[in-house]
Amino acid sequence: MFTIAHGTQRVQDNAAEFSVYRARRSRGNQDSMPKGKQSQSVLRQQSINTINVPDDDGNELGFDPHQHMQHNDDKHDLMEEQVNQNRVRTDLYFNDNRNNMHSHNLFDEDNNQDLDEEGEENLANATNNLAGDVQTQLNRIDKQLRSLSKSVQDNTINPAITTYQNLSNTYSTVVPFNGINLLNVAKAADYKKYSRTILQMLFTVDELSDSILIANPIYNKPGLDPTRMAKWTDAVSARFKIDPVRFDDFFRTCLRRTLAQMLCDTRRKHKRLMKNVGAQRHSAPTSAQSDHGIVGLQSVVSGSPVMQAGQQVHNRNILH
DNA sequence: CACTTGCTTGCCGAACGATC
DNA sequence: GATCGTTCGGCAAGCAAGTG
């Protein structure tokens, strides 16, 4: 069981993380500035790795698309890859020089006599070798770009999550709530979406509307029920393999903002709903109609996924 | 049936105020 | 200055109805 940092426990050294998170929030999910920041850091990392490569031609892509992974195996692979790249570059360099020297000799002789057949054959071989080497390099670059593309795509879905993950830990495979396994109910790959969905399942709209995310004595509204929040924590942690030690940071950095916003949106919607219901009561004050209105309202408020299409349209009209 | 249009919804960025 | 809750408005996706 993990604990979420209490509102009163202000963590002063978290400023940078929070700033990064704010920057990182975006739609499309990605954030304009945060996205840029993220991209910058990734690229910076790549360029740092490139620095170790004695690259004098400037044409080689020195990044390894998997470099952001923290595993030692990957580091080893990266070093091995760089060594291989150096070897290939060196071979290519010497072959190239040899070919150039050979070509020069041929051209010098050409001043005095025609190229003989052997010379032509050598030139053809050298050209073929060079073309083969270039093709090899292009294939290598293409492969790296594909890997990088996939890596970027993964990062786009869960940009910051790898920092807080610990894949070697053992996590719950079942987090039961009302007879269902919370790990199976939402298939969202996005941790933000999953977190919001689970929170909406664990709490009613009234509870979400009348509470703040974490209890804080300086605010009148109470925090969400700690017991169910613990269940929520279990579900999110198990689903995305978040290291228990880092969950507080993960929560503050990656989830707090979006969840707090969700509570505010829920509150806003709820308030608007109540206002409209009040107006409806004024216009149609009969008890029967009022009761109907409330029933319809509750079906919206409960967020029941099983809703008739017609009813949905009706509720939409109530909402706006 | 495919496409367009209008509306609703959820999410997010930006900004603000309160508090420490 | 940092942190957090809140409000407002924009945007994209989803949905239903309309149209050819």
Side-chain angles (χ1 to χ4, degrees):
Chain A
M1 191 76 61
F2 315 120
T3 58
I4 295 171
H6 193 278
T8 55
Q9 296 171 332
R10 304 289 171 87
V11 182
Q12 300 296 335
D13 60 352
N14 190 41
E17 287 179 355
F18 179 69
S19 302
V20 169
Y21 165 61
R22 293 223 25 162
R24 204 167 272 165
R25 287 184 64 210
S26 98
R27 104 192 32 215
N29 281 321
Q30 325 312 345
D31 342 325
S32 37
M33 169 182 156
K35 228 187 239 178
K37 206 157 188 169
Q38 166 95 1
S39 305
Q40 277 183 356
S41 70
V42 169
L43 292 176
R44 194 176 302 124
Q45 233 180 334
Q46 290 167 349
S47 65
I48 287 172
N49 286 335
T50 316
I51 285 172
N52 295 331
V53 180
D55 192 350
D56 52 2
D57 54 19
N59 291 329
E60 176 87 14
L61 290 178
F63 55 75
D64 181 339
H66 299 297
Q67 68 198 341
H68 66 283
M69 300 296 286
Q70 310 265 330
H71 306 299
N72 291 333
D73 287 348
D74 288 346
K75 287 180 181 174
H76 178 72
D77 290 346
L78 176 63
M79 293 177 65
E80 203 171 47
E81 174 78 3
Q82 288 175 346
V83 169
N84 288 336
Q85 286 176 358
N86 290 344
R87 191 178 303 138
V88 168
R89 262 195 302 277
T90 305
D91 292 342
L92 190 61
Y93 175 79
F94 284 123
N95 285 337
D96 196 32
N97 278 354
R98 273 197 300 271
N99 293 334
N100 287 339
M101 290 172 63
H102 193 78
S103 298
H104 276 301
N105 291 337
L106 289 176
F107 285 128
D108 288 339
E109 293 170 6
D110 195 32
N111 290 334
N112 301 324
Q113 60 185 33
D114 294 340
L115 289 171
D116 58 10
E117 286 185 2
E118 186 185 358
E120 286 181 3
E121 188 178 340
N122 286 340
L123 183 61
N125 287 340
T127 305
N128 287 339
N129 288 340
L130 189 61
D133 286 340
V134 169
Q135 187 59 46
T136 302
Q137 290 302 310
L138 285 176
N139 290 342
R140 183 185 297 274
I141 291 171
D142 184 61
K143 188 178 174 185
Q144 286 180 334
L145 283 175
R146 285 176 197 276
S147 298
L148 178 64
S149 174
K150 184 178 183 307
S151 172
V152 168
Q153 192 173 2
D154 291 346
N155 264 357
T156 300
I157 296 173
N158 292 324
I161 200 170
T162 52
T163 311
Y164 306 97
Q165 284 179 319
N166 185 350
L167 303 179
S168 59
N169 259 20
T170 54
Y171 299 92
S172 313
T173 54
V174 175
V175 181
F177 178 72
N178 282 352
I180 56 175
N181 184 3
L182 292 178
L183 298 181
N184 295 334
V185 292
K187 301 298 180 188
D190 178 5
Y191 64 89
K192 290 182 185 177
K193 190 166 186 174
Y194 177 78
S195 302
R196 284 191 296 262
T197 303
I198 295 299
L199 203 63
Q200 285 169 327
M201 292 187 66
L202 287 169
F203 297 94
T204 66
V205 170
D206 283 339
E207 287 171 323
L208 292 175
S209 298
D210 298 335
S211 309
I212 57 177
L213 204 51
I214 302 166
N216 191 331
I218 67 174
Y219 296 106
N220 290 332
K221 291 190 177 72
L224 291 170
D225 177 34
T227 307
R228 276 176 286 174
M229 280 303 282
K231 203 168 273 289
W232 172 86
T233 302
D234 278 347
V236 174
S237 177
R239 175 69 179 270
F240 294 98
K241 312 243 182 302
I242 305 298
D243 191 339
V245 177
R246 303 181 200 144
F247 194 86
D248 282 0
D249 281 344
F250 170 68
F251 177 82
R252 272 193 304 271
T253 306
C254 302
L255 292 179
R256 193 204 64 76
R257 188 72 175 85
T258 186
L259 293 179
Q261 185 66 55
M262 189 195 80
L263 293 191
C264 290
D265 285 339
T266 304
R267 197 170 303 136
R268 178 167 47 163
K269 194 167 64 177
H270 191 60
K271 205 177 285 183
R272 201 162 48 204
L273 206 57
M274 289 308 190
K275 194 176 173 183
N276 288 340
V277 168
Q280 268 195 349
R281 279 184 179 168
H282 263 294
S283 60
T286 66
S287 62
Q289 284 173 329
S290 299
D291 289 343
H292 260 76
I294 290 180
V295 169
L297 168 69
Q298 284 176 340
S299 67
V300 177
V301 166
S302 65
S304 168
V306 197
M307 199 186 295
Q308 301 283 333
Q311 188 184 359
Q312 205 169 4
V313 171
H314 174 65
N315 291 333
R316 278 181 179 181
N317 292 337
I318 290 178
L319 282 169
H320 287 265

